[in-house]
Amino acid sequence: MVTRSRFAIGAAGLALCGGACNWTTFDDLQTEVWVDRVNNPDDSRQYGVAMGAMPDTAETLAGSGANLVVLGRAKLMVSTVRYTDPGERNVASVGGQAIFPAFSFDDLPAKPAFAVDPTGHRFAFGSLTGNLLNGQGFVGVMDGDNLGISVAPARVFAAGGALSMLAPTGIAFATLPDAGGFTNDTVLGELVVARGSQLDVLYDYANNAIADANGFAECSQVTNAATSTSYETAVADVEGDAAPEIVVGMGPRAGSDVTTSEVRIYQLGEVVKTGSTVMTPAACDAPSTTLSVPAVDGGFAMLTARFDATATQAALVYSAPSINTVFVRLPGTTDPILISVPITGSNFGYALAAGDLDGDDVPELIIGAPRSDVDGTTDAGGVYIYRYAAGAFTPFSTEPLAVASPSSSEQFGKSLAVAPWGKTGQNVLVVGAEGKVFTYFRLAGLYDDVRTGR
């Protein structure tokens, strides 16, 4: 049991708004935390299982604040949550068969594969077709400014047999060089998908002329059918060779191994091969780098970030929540920094985010621990914020961010995002919990109130 201080969301002054969205806005002046909360419009739990922020691009409207995308699971739903710069908000949702009406689809995995395009207002997520997650794996890409409109046909991995029934666990938007003889229009971009033993590279995923899965690259990683568990994926130059690598978290290679897993770093040519497609996948080459993790869930959550602006490559951050540990592999190093908390079963590292919150041009690292006990409340959840300087990470506060009046199984910190506040250059922290999403207009010691006129 862990006691938390009230660096937290205040419970005083709640003011419910009208309408179906069940919004709550409140200020806690004592702790200088100002926050806006939205509940699932239909009061279904498991809202906020995945969440992301659309970047500040030419598509960002003047006078806007944060633009968020939120997935709900218990009642299948995709929502956009938009703020104006004074802090007014609007929620638009689409659910059920309206998301992808071309095929039956009614659920998401507990931790769905999800990504927001860092260059535009598009987002992708993956699941299985059919009812009760019993169909074929697919990835869909939607327009974040016109919710319900698909950017591209939903891509179904219809290879037949067991390989087609592997659900995506990680998705990354990417811009990749030519490889393997696949079409490559730089305007259309790529998606990299991890799903069990399979690694997919969807060159020109938005090209409507690519009618079937045989037009996309796929290879099979070294594993076995009994333990073909994959986790998150990322694409960035993490090796300092001026070329993007594909990184994926993979579970144990052998069924008897219950203590280790791997984070694999592939060069593009080790994954994309001529003639190796979704329909006829060849074996991937051995990854150029393998990082051993002393837990079965290495790479459960993953991101890349540039904590050092002078570095020519990105840092790789990956987690193993089963041992409450986050690993950071900085540029030019081989041994990662370990960040952990002495709380058994807190799921520290279940969610990760990075972004500059305090305006010093150095990203903060944000780590969710949704199974943390708070003030005697089981699984209330907490969020840890770390600053980076001189090759080290230090906690922003001695206690995690938490809900001031927590509920059992609230799981605050199950999803995270750092969202640009319109075109102001300021970012805000957004935290998902069971059935709720919290947007922080101000966090004392990190940033002042971002709303105009306040």
Side-chain angles (χ1 to χ4, degrees):
M1 197 65 64
V2 180
T3 301
R4 300 288 182 237
S5 68
R6 300 281 181 175
F7 172 55
I9 300 168
L14 297 183
L16 290 175
C17 76
C21 292
N22 193 23
W23 280 93
T24 303
T25 305
F26 47 94
D27 292 344
D28 187 337
L29 299 180
Q30 181 177 0
T31 58
E32 299 184 290
V33 176
W34 295 20
V35 63
D36 201 23
R37 182 185 77 196
V38 62
N39 291 353
N40 186 339
D42 293 299
D43 293 327
S44 172
R45 298 182 72 80
Q46 298 185 16
Y47 183 65
V49 293
M51 180 174 61
M54 287 180 279
D56 177 14
T57 68
E59 300 163 282
T60 303
L61 298 177
S64 66
N67 293 330
L68 309 172
V69 178
V70 184
L71 300 188
R73 180 173 180 247
K75 180 177 177 63
L76 179 62
M77 183 179 299
V78 180
S79 298
T80 54
V81 181
R82 296 177 177 274
Y83 292 93
T84 63
D85 54 11
E88 300 167 344
R89 65 279 198 230
N90 179 65
V91 181
S93 299
V94 60
Q97 294 296 312
I99 298 177
F100 291 115
F103 53 82
S104 176
F105 161 54
D106 67 357
D107 204 354
L108 292 168
K111 187 177 185 295
F114 175 80
V116 174
D117 186 351
T119 67
H121 289 188
R122 298 171 288 185
F123 62 94
F125 65 93
S127 186
L128 292 171
T129 63
N131 299 320
L132 304 176
L133 298 174
N134 61 0
Q136 297 171 316
F138 78 89
V139 170
V141 183
M142 298 179 71
D143 186 339
D145 292 324
N146 296 283
L147 196 61
I149 296 178
S150 299
V151 173
R155 301 301 186 179
V156 181
F157 300 98
L163 293 184
S164 68
M165 298 179 67
L166 294 172
T169 59
I171 300 175
F173 285 88
T175 300
L176 299 173
D178 295 343
F182 293 89
T183 62
N184 189 11
D185 184 334
T186 56
V187 175
L188 295 175
E190 285 72 60
L191 282 177
V192 175
V193 182
R195 52 186 196 94
S197 58
Q198 307 305 105
L199 265 180
D200 299 275
V201 178
L202 280 58
Y203 276 101
D204 300 352
Y205 67 86
N207 185 352
N208 291 330
I210 302 177
D212 60 58
N214 208 42
F216 299 117
E218 179 177 288
C219 70
S220 300
Q221 300 186 78
V222 174
T223 182
N224 64 58
T227 57
S228 54
T229 301
S230 62
Y231 298 109
E232 192 56 82
T233 190
V235 181
D237 176 14
V238 296
E239 297 285 70
D241 55 5
E245 282 79 39
I246 296 173
V247 189
V248 61
M250 283 295 293
R253 289 192 180 189
S256 59
D257 186 353
V258 294
T259 59
T260 63
S261 55
E262 296 176 341
V263 170
R264 300 174 181 177
I265 302 175
Y266 289 95
Q267 301 295 327
L268 183 61
E270 295 166 348
V271 174
V272 179
K273 299 174 177 298
T274 301
S276 181
T277 71
V278 173
M279 302 300 290
T280 57
C284 306
D285 289 347
S288 58
T289 302
T290 299
L291 307 174
S292 181
V293 179
V296 296
D297 54 351
F300 183 87
M302 184 183 299
L303 60 81
T304 62
R306 295 186 179 271
F307 298 105
D308 183 350
T310 65
T312 59
Q313 69 189 78
L316 174 63
V317 184
Y318 54 98
S319 71
S322 66
I323 58 171
N324 299 313
T325 303
V326 172
F327 305 81
V328 185
R329 185 175 182 258
L330 294 174
T333 65
T334 55
D335 296 327
I337 296 171
L338 274 59
I339 304 174
S340 188
V341 292
I343 306 170
T344 302
S346 71
N347 266 11
F348 180 82
Y350 187 92
L352 300 171
D356 180 16
L357 294 175
D358 58 7
D360 64 355
D361 296 325
V362 178
E364 275 67 51
L365 177 61
I366 303 100
I367 302 173
R371 301 295 296 274
S372 294
D373 296 344
V374 178
D375 291 346
T377 304
T378 302
D379 295 345
V383 171
Y384 296 77
I385 302 172
Y386 293 84
R387 283 174 159 146
Y388 173 82
F393 291 88
T394 56
F396 163 70
S397 172
T398 56
E399 296 291 340
L401 189 65
V403 177
S405 299
S407 301
S408 178
S409 301
E410 191 159 22
Q411 295 193 46
F412 180 79
K414 70 187 296 185
S415 56
L416 298 167
V418 174
W421 191 259
K423 294 186 174 296
T424 64
Q426 177 61 57
N427 295 317
V428 298
L429 177 63
V430 188
V431 180
E434 274 290 283
K436 308 177 187 72
V437 173
F438 300 84
T439 300
Y440 286 81
F441 295 135
R442 178 171 78 172
L443 278 176
L446 286 170
Y447 55 90
D448 293 329
D449 194 345
V450 295
R451 295 169 292 181
T452 58
R454 303 291 294 196

